[in-house]
């Protein structure tokens, strides 16, 4: 199509068509365009001169927004000067390429009502835009959206240049803004973000975040289109959050606890000042380290990381006690809680808070020292009290045996009773101190409940008979015959409750009822009711009746005596086993103490403890022994001389350790009785010096300690000094006699003496344990009987292991020593079959090396016999008061 035809077509169009350069100079205009402006020739004129003044910036803005390819353009309603009519005209603006030259095409037509409404809506949105829109042509401000009035209070006419716009930026922010702006322009960054404050017309400043999009043209021109968002409120929130963060950090930094956060990779990402001070480096430097852990070895680090992994990955919360070294290598003790910490992004970290417990550890040590001092005090007190009581009890027993007058016998019996009561009070105090010190251990063995109750009742029945009380017990049929638990503690609980019931009941009855409260697959919950018809307890005293050193009222203490510790001991023993104790009572009608205790099902792999009640007959024999008694108290010397004189024992006296060391050099003795606490050198040091003498006689002569102390530390010292055993003060005659028999040559003769009326003859192969001899020896001191049995059990356990080693290693010398050590005790319990087995093994080992088969057979037999003996001794203890 030639040029003439094209021009004719354009000129015949009803649309006004113009083209301009970028400066607005009109290059072409068709006939309709000239008619629109009253037939004036428009070529050579400037389009901006035709536009209303308020439209010029908008058209310039549109120029800069036009895409290069010319396919798309902008449509805008604009007002023109000198046009036909006063209404705005629709202007469509596009880019054109004419002979390689870029021009702007204007197509101007009347607008429809819908287009006018749309334009009004656009203007409304522009004027009320949420953001401020700005456009720069190089450094020329060519457009500011009307919304600037809402945000900064200025009309668009008041912001007429880039300089005016920049002057609104806060002085402190402007330099940094211009510096960054210049850098982004040089780097031809398409997008940039800036944050600064701008002044409102009222003088206040508001925060803005500005996004600038840049268009770079081939001719070097640059258009920047900026959108400024008011972030004043956000900045306020950020500042508040920052202040809160600073406050929390200051708060954490003033906290002496170690507070830190570790991420899932094991790195510490936050810590307070206390952590930094502990590791001895600035916080930022410590957190920047690749492995920012507390000073520790690799093994300990791995242990902690594994533990913290459980917190992060499994959501566990841990409360632990740990030791942490500081930068100087000093160990500190901390109690630490570690818990998962979830972030808003869904990540899981670990929060750790460690409280320094150095002082607690120090006070624990001080408490232990105080407890040790208290125990030593109890030991000393026990010795000081028991020493004179030794003489009182011993002499009253001697006087009672010498057929005193009736009136004298009554006084002596009262004295003897009062002395024993005092001893009972001391034992209660020592029992309570053991519970407080946490030295109570639970045993789990099978036992027959019926036989246990019979033994407890038998030991208390004489007291009940003296008061003419009905004394009985019953067991529900639902209760199993054999249960598994700590029968010793149960014996003491029932013994204390029944003793109390008898003490506070003058007429009527005292009974025990055992029943099944409930049953599970593995446990029986048993209920024991101790019922009496005694004086009862007032309601207001029931809550405090189990408190230590407490009795219902002062008159009760005066009338009935006691320390008020019995029920407290019961409560502690019950609760240690996971049970409960309750009481119901009515004054003048009686009381019901209810104990609920859990027991396990009987363990089929264990033997059943059962204790027959022995009938003890009196017996007498003479001891042809020489004994040295080392004691500094004259009354005790007199007492021992009187007691052992009746037994045919020749007793020599030494008043202190030095004298004892001289006497034993001039005469041989069968046994030495050594007091522990003496002036000069005490009994322990005296024993050590005796054992250090060259002659084998001094190394093997039996030495028994005399002590009032029942503490474990005292007993350990006794055995470590070289003594074989001890006799507790105040001295019990039968206990002393039993110990002398056990540790002297009398034991071999004693095992052949028939002192018991046996109901039926035993078969030669019968392996039952004979307790009648020890029953007689310990008849009046069941507490010592218990101690004797416990120590005997431990000795047999150790000896069994040592015997096995000696047999396996063909060590005949060691085996003979062990056999000799065990022989007297085995004979005491009448275990003839075990003695024969020990002799048989000795002979076989002496004849030559045993085969592996023979060793195995001997060890199996020993294991059977000694285990049976240990079980039987354990069974025996259930009828005795626990100590």
């Amino acid at each position: 199509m030639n040029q003439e035809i094209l021009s004719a077509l354009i000129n015949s169009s009803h649309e006004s068509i113009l083209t301009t350069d970028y400066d607005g100079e009109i290059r072409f205009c068709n006939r309709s365009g000239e008619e629109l402006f009253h037939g004036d020739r428009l070529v050579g004129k400037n389009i901006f001169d035709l536009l209303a003044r308020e439209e010029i910036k908008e058209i310039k803005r549109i120029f800069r927004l036009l895409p290069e390819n010319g396919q798309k353009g902008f449509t805008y309603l604009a007002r023109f000067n000198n046009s036909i009519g006063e209404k705005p005209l629709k202007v469509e603006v596009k880019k054109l390429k004419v002979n390689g030259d870029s021009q702007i095409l204007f197509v101007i037509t009347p607008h429809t009502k819908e287009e006018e409404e749309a334009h009004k809506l656009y203007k409304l949105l522009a004027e009320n835009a949420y953001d401020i829109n700005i456009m720069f042509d190089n450094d020329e401000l060519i457009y500011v959206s009307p919304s600037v009035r809402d945000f900064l209070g200025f009309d668009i006419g008041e912001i007429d240049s880039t300089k005016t716009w920049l002057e609104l930026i806060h002085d402190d922010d402007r330099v940094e803004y211009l510096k960054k702006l210049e850098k982004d322009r040089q780097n031809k960054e398409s997008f940039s973000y800036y944050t600064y404050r701008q002044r409102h017309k009222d003088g206040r400043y508001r925060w803005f975040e500005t996004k600038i999009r840049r268009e770079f043209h081939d001719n070097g021109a640059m258009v920047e289109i900026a959108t400024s968002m008011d972030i004043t409120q956000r900045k306020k929130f950020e500042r508040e959050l920052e202040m809160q963060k600073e406050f929390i950090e200051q708060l954490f930094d003033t906290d002496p606890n170690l507070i830190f956060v570790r991420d899932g990779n094991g790195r510490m990402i936050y810590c307070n000042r206390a952590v930094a001070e502990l590791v001895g480096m600035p916080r930022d430097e410590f957190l920047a380290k690749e492995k920012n852990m507390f000073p520790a070895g690799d093994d300990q680090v791995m242990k902690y990381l594994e533990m913290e992994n459980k917190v992060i990955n499994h959501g566990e919360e841990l409360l632990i006690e740990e030791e942490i070294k500081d930068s100087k290598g000093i160990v500190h003790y901390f109690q630490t809680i570690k818990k998962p910490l979830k972030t808003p992004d869904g990540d899981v970290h670990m929060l750790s808070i460690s409280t320094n417990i150095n002082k607690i550890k120090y006070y624990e040590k001080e408490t232990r020292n105080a407890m040790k001092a208290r125990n030593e005090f109890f030991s000393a007190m026990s010795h000081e009290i028991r020493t004179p009581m030794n003489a009182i009890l011993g002499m009253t027993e001697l006087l009672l045996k010498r057929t005193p007058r009736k009136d004298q016998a009554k006084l002596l019996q009262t004295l003897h009773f009062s002395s024993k009561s005092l001893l009972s009070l001391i034992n209660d105090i020592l029992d309570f101190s053991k519970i407080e010190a946490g030295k109570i251990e639970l045993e789990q063995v099978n036992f027959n409940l019926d036989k246990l109750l019979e033994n407890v009742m038998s030991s208390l029945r004489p007291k009940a008979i003296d008061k003419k009380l009905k004394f009985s017990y019953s067991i529900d049929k639902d209760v199993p015959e054999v249960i598994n638990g700590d029968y010793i503690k149960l014996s003491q609980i029932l013994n204390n409750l029944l003793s109390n019931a008898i003490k506070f009941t003058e007429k009527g009855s005292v009974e025990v009822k055992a029943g099944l409260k409930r049953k599970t697959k593995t446990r029986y919950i048993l209920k024991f009711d101790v019922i009496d018809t005694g004086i009862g307890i007032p309601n207001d005293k029931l809550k405090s009746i189990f408190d230590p050193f407490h009795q219902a009222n002062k008159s009760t203490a005066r009338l009935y005596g006691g320390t008020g510790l019995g029920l407290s001991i019961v409560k502690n023993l019950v609760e240690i086993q996971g049970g409960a104790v309750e009481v119901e009572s009515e004054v003048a009608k009686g009381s019901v103490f209810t104990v609920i205790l859990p027991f396990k099902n009987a363990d089929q792999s264990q033997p059943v403890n059962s204790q027959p009640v022995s009938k003890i007959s009196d017996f007498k024999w003479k001891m042809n022994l020489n004994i040295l008694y080392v004691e500094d108290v004259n009354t005790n010397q007199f007492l021992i001389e009187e007691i052992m004189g009746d037994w045919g024992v020749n007793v020599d006296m030494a008043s202190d350790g030095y004298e004892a060391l001289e006497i034993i050099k001039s005469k041989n003795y069968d046994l030495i009785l050594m007091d522990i606490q003496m002036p000069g050198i005490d009994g322990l040091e005296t024993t050590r010096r005796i054992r250090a003498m060259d002659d084998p006689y001094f190394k093997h002569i039996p030495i028994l300690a005399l002590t009032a102390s029942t503490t474990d530390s005292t007993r350990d010292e006794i055995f470590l000094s070289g003594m074989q055993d001890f006799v507790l003060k105040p001295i019990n005659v039968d206990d002393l006699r039993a110990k002398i028999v056990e540790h002297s040559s009398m034991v071999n003769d004693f095992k052949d003496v028939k002192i018991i009326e046996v109901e039926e003859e035993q078969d030669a192969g019968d392996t039952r344990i004979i307790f009648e001899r020890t029953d007689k020896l310990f008849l009046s001191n069941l507490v010592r009987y218990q101690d004797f049995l416990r120590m005997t059990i431990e000795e047999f356990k150790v000896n069994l292991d040592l015997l096995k080693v000696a047999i396996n290693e063909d060590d005949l010398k060691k085996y003979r020593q062990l056999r000799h050590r065990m022989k007297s005790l085995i004979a005491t319990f009448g275990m003839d079959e075990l003695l024969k087995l020990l002799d048989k093994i000795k002979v076989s080992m002496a004849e030559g090396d045993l085969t592996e088969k023979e060793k195995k057979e001997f060890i199996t037999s020993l294991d059977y016999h000694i285990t049976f003996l240990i079980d039987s001794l354990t069974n025996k203890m259930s009828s005795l008061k626990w100590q």
Side-chain angles (χ1 to χ4, degrees), residues 185-202:
R185 285 175 173 177
Q186 289 178 358
N187 294 333
K188 293 191 175 183
E189 298 287 348
S190 298
F191 290 94
S192 299
Y193 290 87
Y194 308 89
T195 302
Y196 49 76
R197 288 164 288 177
Q198 277 190 296
R199 178 171 50 82
H200 192 275
K201 195 171 184 179
D202 62 10

Side-chain angles (χ1 to χ4, degrees), residues 506-716:
E506 296 302 324
K507 60 180 181 178
S509 64
V510 173
E511 61 178 320
V512 181
K513 292 182 178 180
L516 178 64
K517 186 173 179 65
R518 66 177 181 274
K519 176 185 176 182
T520 67
K521 290 184 178 179
T522 58
R523 296 201 308 172
Y524 293 95
I525 311 298
L526 300 187
K527 175 184 176 185
F528 299 89
D529 291 322
V530 177
I531 308 164
D532 67 62
T533 57
I535 62 174
I537 306 166
N539 285 333
D540 60 338
K541 303 295 183 182
L542 288 177
K543 290 184 179 179
S544 58
I545 199 69
F546 293 102
D547 295 342
F549 306 104
H550 180 89
Q551 290 187 339
N553 52 57
K554 293 182 179 179
S555 62
T556 302
R558 287 195 301 268
L559 185 60
Y560 297 97
T563 59
L565 287 175
L567 291 179
S568 177
I569 292 172
V570 166
K571 184 174 185 291
N572 278 280
L573 292 179
V574 169
E575 290 179 349
I576 286 170
Q577 299 177 78
V581 58
E582 301 171 350
V583 59
E584 293 181 0
S585 186
E586 189 174 347
V587 175
K589 291 190 176 180
S591 304
V592 178
F593 283 84
T594 300
V595 173
I596 298 172
L597 281 174
F599 294 92
K600 295 180 180 178
N601 294 344
D603 186 344
Q604 300 302 321
S605 65
Q606 291 185 7
V608 178
N609 290 268
S610 59
Q611 303 79 28
V613 180
S614 303
K615 295 181 180 179
I616 310 298
S617 61
D618 195 14
F619 67 98
K620 293 182 180 180
W621 79 97
K622 296 294 181 180
M623 301 181 183
N624 185 22
L625 298 174
N626 291 315
I627 293 177
L628 175 62
Y629 181 39
V630 188
E631 167 68 74
D632 63 309
V633 180
N634 292 333
T635 54
N636 287 342
Q637 290 181 356
F638 172 78
L639 177 62
I640 292 295
E641 192 171 23
E642 286 291 315
I643 291 172
M644 293 197 292
D646 290 343
W647 301 342
V649 175
N650 178 43
V651 184
D652 290 338
M653 300 293 177
S655 297
D656 56 38
Y658 293 112
E659 187 178 352
L661 291 172
E662 292 301 320
I663 291 176
I664 62 173
K665 293 177 182 177
S666 59
K667 183 178 179 179
N668 286 348
Y669 292 96
D670 296 290
L671 184 139
I672 299 175
L673 294 175
M674 181 79 68
D675 188 39
I676 294 296
Q677 296 187 9
M678 293 184 297
I681 57 173
D682 62 19
L684 300 174
E685 179 60 26
T686 303
T687 301
R688 283 191 284 267
R689 294 190 184 188
I690 292 172
R691 296 306 187 203
M693 294 180 178
D694 294 334
D695 196 301
Y697 157 73
F698 297 112
K699 300 185 184 303
H700 297 104
I701 180 174
I703 303 177
L704 307 184
L706 296 175
T707 178
S709 175
T710 60
T711 64
D712 293 337
S713 59
T714 301
R715 295 180 187 184
D716 291 341

